Amino acid sequence: MSDSVSDCTEHSRTLVTEAEVEALVRGICFKTGPPRTLGVEVEWIVQELRDPRLPVTSERLEAAYAAVRSLSLRSALTVEPGGQLELSSPPAGSLTECVGIVSADLAAVRAVLAGQGLALAGFGADPWHPPRRFLREPRYDAMEAVLDRRGPAGRAMMCTSASVQVCLDAGYEEPGPLGHGRRWWLAHQLGPVLVAAFANSPLAGREPTGWVSTRQRFWMDIGPDRAGAPPLNGDPRTGWARHVLDAPVMCVRGENGPWEVPEGLSFREWTRTGAPRPPTRADLDYHLTTLFPPVRPRGHLELRMIDAQPGDDGWIVPLAVTAALFDDPQATETAYRAVKPLAERALSRPAPHNALWAGAARSGLADPELHEVAVICFTAAQEALPRLGAGTAVTDAVAAYHDRYVARGRCPADDLLDRHHGTHRPHPRLRSHAGTPHGKDIHP
């Protein structure tokens, strides 16, 4: 949600037609070539060091962020609507380089925040506090108004959620394990496995929600027009371009006063009617930043489904596992074969609004099919990481995560639930995906 666009050039003020929009989107959504670079965006909940259950006042956040912005960072620093902090790495030439850049930047940020009595916490959703807007900007005013039409999930997503987003090159134009078509399909089928393995948001308002990834539940509740993927049964460029044109316009920006928030106006209809004013290239660029599918094509692939992780370095594991499964040809082929049977559970419905994604968010690795695939994929990733030049610290972290969580059918959400109940419960019994949802058995 930290996307920004510039409309300061004559080019951006050029009016666009429906055909031009389709051509523009098709031209920019997948920039193909050999996978060479990698990036990560890490979001964090900012908490009081003395007691994380206490709310952080807006004044304290403003002072802390003013101090953080004085740092010289290689990653881009942004603040989310609820005061969450995000660091977005520059494109890195290797996993090792990416980890090194972000780790150094995070260390500097943490030191400044600690001096302010604050800390970064890795939760997919704030387990204690209700949604509260920190940023008051026209973009977020408009977003809040639009999302409120569907219920409370939008505000919760804006103000209480945090993630690890992995950015991968689109891949080759040609077919094959590293081709952009295969990578696009794999991202959507592997996505539920990543949701389940890294689920870390089982609480809201200090109580269990019945979902191990409540953050993913937020995105599902926001709806397919804003937070859904296009169908996968065709050319990726064509499918995404149609999705962009048919998606509702979040706002029509103006120079003065609040932005107009139309209801039921698709970008396709906007180009056809020219009302309330004709759309420009800048409007198209902005429209693209208001769509939040689980996998967003931005020239590269942005995987958005992973909850923020516990610990200072917990974000490294999903980054490393995802990079290995996409950029090592052998691991990619293993993952592709492993997830193919899962596709039947999606019933051809686009992600994340299908039974496969819902089961991952609700049950995590207590789902036996997801557990089986996760074990295969983590094993393949562990074998691939040395081939990608990963150091011992990274490979050891992935191995430890596999042993602590994946092999046992657990995820970080289970630790939070254990602490919530004050006892160490046995790891969740693996069950059929048609069985009792995880969380329904939390209370007697």
Side-chain angles (χ1 to χ4, degrees):
M1 296 201 310
S2 60
D3 306 277
S4 62
V5 294
S6 172
D7 58 349
C8 60
T9 67
E10 289 298 325
H11 173 72
S12 67
R13 290 193 286 268
T14 302
L15 301 182
V16 289
T17 66
E18 180 179 346
E20 289 170 339
V21 168
E22 184 166 3
L24 284 166
V25 174
R26 285 176 58 88
I28 64 175
C29 58
F30 296 98
K31 296 178 181 177
T32 53
R36 290 195 179 103
T37 60
L38 175 71
V40 69
E41 301 175 19
V42 287
E43 296 175 340
W44 303 86
I45 306 296
V46 179
Q47 296 182 338
E48 290 281 359
L49 263 176
R50 56 194 171 112
D51 186 346
R53 295 167 297 181
L54 295 175
V56 182
T57 66
S58 296
E59 292 76 17
R60 282 174 55 69
L61 281 177
E62 288 173 357
Y65 287 146
V68 168
R69 288 190 179 98
S70 68
L71 294 170
S72 178
L73 304 174
R74 294 186 64 185
S75 303
L77 185 146
T78 52
V79 178
E80 297 296 308
Q84 310 98 305
L85 182 144
E86 177 182 280
L87 286 180
S88 301
S89 75
S94 68
L95 174 62
T96 299
E97 180 186 357
C98 187
V99 169
I101 290 171
V102 178
S103 295
D105 287 345
L106 280 171
V109 169
R110 286 195 180 96
V112 170
L113 290 179
Q116 304 279 333
L118 300 173
L120 299 179
F123 296 106
D126 191 320
W128 294 293
H129 307 114
R132 182 195 62 169
R133 283 273 301 281
F134 169 68
L135 295 181
R136 294 290 171 182
E137 299 176 0
R139 171 181 173 88
Y140 298 124
D141 292 342
M143 185 181 295
E144 185 177 275
V146 169
L147 297 180
D148 278 353
R149 293 169 182 165
R150 291 191 65 97
R155 289 195 186 206
M157 176 277 294
M158 290 173 63
C159 299
T160 69
S161 70
S163 68
V164 176
Q165 298 178 17
V166 180
C167 299
L168 305 157
D169 283 335
Y172 289 97
E173 184 69 27
E174 300 79 13
L178 300 183
H180 79 282
R182 171 77 73 86
R183 287 161 75 86
W184 176 245
W185 184 91
L186 179 61
H188 289 86
Q189 305 306 330
L190 185 63
V193 181
L194 299 175
V195 169
F198 295 109
N200 188 35
S201 51
L203 306 175
R206 308 189 185 192
E207 293 296 328
T209 64
W211 297 71
V212 292
S213 180
T214 304
R215 174 183 168 273
Q216 186 59 48
R217 173 66 188 270
F218 294 156
W219 287 114
M220 292 169 61
D221 286 349
I222 286 169
D225 51 4
R226 184 72 54 197
L232 299 180
N233 57 351
D235 173 65
R237 289 188 175 93
T238 300
W240 179 246
R242 289 174 179 170
H243 184 73
V244 169
L245 277 163
D246 292 332
V249 174
M250 189 180 80
C251 59
V252 177
R253 296 174 296 165
E255 294 183 2
N256 300 306
W259 294 351
E260 185 171 347
V261 182
E263 188 164 4
L265 175 67
S266 70
F267 206 92
R268 188 187 301 277
E269 183 180 358
W270 194 10
T271 63
R272 291 176 177 179
T273 64
R277 61 166 174 77
T280 66
R281 173 64 190 271
D283 290 320
L284 171 61
D285 292 342
Y286 195 85
H287 177 62
L288 291 170
T289 74
T290 68
L291 304 180
F292 309 111
V295 183
R296 187 161 61 172
R298 305 181 63 190
H300 59 273
L301 301 181
E302 182 183 79
L303 278 64
R304 305 170 52 84
M305 72 288 295
I306 302 169
D307 280 359
Q309 295 297 289
D312 288 355
D313 301 324
W315 58 275
I316 295 174
V317 175
L319 170 65
V321 169
T322 306
L325 294 177
F326 278 85
D327 289 350
D328 179 84
Q330 185 175 333
T332 296
E333 194 62 30
T334 298
Y336 175 73
R337 291 195 302 267
V339 301
K340 281 187 75 173
L342 292 177
E344 296 179 5
R345 284 174 58 182
L347 300 175
S348 299
R349 295 179 180 176
H353 301 89
N354 60 52
L356 176 60
W357 283 74
R362 183 185 295 114
S363 302
L365 295 185
D367 181 305
E369 290 180 317
L370 288 167
H371 177 241
E372 180 181 1
V373 173
V375 170
I376 294 171
C377 289
F378 266 72
T379 300
Q382 287 177 259
E383 294 172 352
L385 283 169
R387 296 195 291 267
L388 295 178
T392 302
V394 171
T395 57
D396 287 351
V398 172
Y401 193 96
H402 174 271
D403 294 343
R404 178 174 180 177
Y405 295 115
V406 178
R408 301 172 61 206
R410 287 176 65 89
C411 57
D414 292 304
D415 291 348
L416 291 174
L417 291 170
D418 287 349
R419 290 197 291 272
H420 174 79
H421 289 277
T423 59
H424 179 72
R425 300 179 299 142
H427 66 80
R429 182 186 308 166
L430 298 181
R431 58 175 74 84
S432 162
H433 65 263
T436 305
H438 188 75
K440 291 288 182 69
D441 57 348
I442 287 176
H443 297 295

